[in-house]
Amino acid sequence: MADLIFIALAIFAIGGAITMVISSNPMHSALGILITMLSVAGMFALLNAIFLFLVQIIVYAGAIMTLILFILMFLNIKEEDLPKEPNKYKLIAITAVIMIPLNVLVLKAVSNLPHKDLSIVDTGFGDIKPVGLELYNNWIISFELISILLLIALIGSVVLAKKRKSKLNSKEN
């Protein structure tokens, strides 16, 4: 059953990636990459990697995609505003042909690996608790410095946005 779910998730991931590359509509491309990110999260869930599953859902499929969709809606890009790409499909096909030898090399390397038991272990692999203990015991100073850096970046972006808005208001008057 897990194999069928993996195959379905792989098909969704590849289909979303192809949609992202081929689509000329930016919203369709963003939704294609969202499908890919959710499929990868499902693969992490199949591996019982709970932390990676949650990070993929919360950070990538949640925060990053929300930001991308917000920017696309804010910019209100229409298809007639996009540049013409007459050689797009030809370049995609050439790139796919160039990637075939690399894919063959990777498949040969994977097939030459020794066979191991690949069953999922229930020993706490992928739990969040060991990551949190490591982060808050050994990396607390770095963690706090990064949070201060992000706070400064947030304040800076608000200040810059406010200055730009006030300049726009003064030009209108």
Side-chain angles (χ1 to χ4, degrees):
M1 183 66 176
D3 293 340
L4 293 175
I5 295 173
F6 175 80
I7 291 170
L9 288 171
I11 290 170
F12 280 128
I14 292 169
I18 290 171
T19 300
M20 182 198 64
V21 172
I22 290 178
S23 179
S24 59
N25 187 338
M27 290 299 272
H28 293 163
S29 293
L31 293 176
I33 197 168
L34 177 64
I35 291 170
T36 301
M37 289 179 182
L38 291 175
S39 300
V40 170
M43 290 179 192
F44 285 139
L46 277 179
L47 289 173
N48 204 21
I50 299 165
F51 178 71
L52 293 176
F53 167 73
L54 290 174
V55 166
Q56 185 75 20
I57 293 288
I58 294 169
V59 174
Y60 292 109
I64 302 293
M65 284 309 301
T66 302
L67 179 67
I68 289 172
L69 289 173
F70 176 75
I71 289 170
L72 288 174
M73 287 187 278
F74 182 72
L75 293 176
N76 195 19
I77 300 173
K78 296 178 181 68
E79 285 196 43
E80 59 266 10
D81 297 333
L82 296 173
K84 302 295 180 239
E85 299 174 307
N87 298 327
K88 178 179 181 178
Y89 297 110
K90 185 168 62 171
L91 291 172
I92 291 172
I94 290 171
T95 305
V97 169
I98 291 172
M99 291 300 295
I100 288 174
L102 178 65
N103 291 331
V104 169
L105 180 68
V106 169
L107 289 175
K108 282 185 180 179
V110 169
S111 67
N112 289 336
L113 290 174
H115 294 285
K116 299 283 184 183
D117 179 27
L118 298 177
S119 60
I120 297 173
V121 292
D122 290 327
T123 60
F125 171 77
D127 280 348
I128 299 172
K129 186 176 180 180
V131 174
L133 289 173
E134 181 73 22
L135 185 66
Y136 288 116
N137 287 337
N138 300 331
W139 297 95
I140 188 68
I141 294 174
S142 302
F143 182 78
E144 291 300 328
L145 288 175
I146 289 172
S147 66
I148 291 170
L149 178 69
L150 290 172
L151 178 65
I152 292 169
L154 177 68
I155 292 170
S157 65
V158 168
V159 168
L160 288 175
K162 191 170 186 168
K163 282 183 183 178
R164 182 169 183 241
K165 186 177 178 183
S166 64
K167 285 182 183 179
L168 290 175
N169 287 342
S170 65
K171 285 181 182 179
E172 290 175 0
N173 295 330

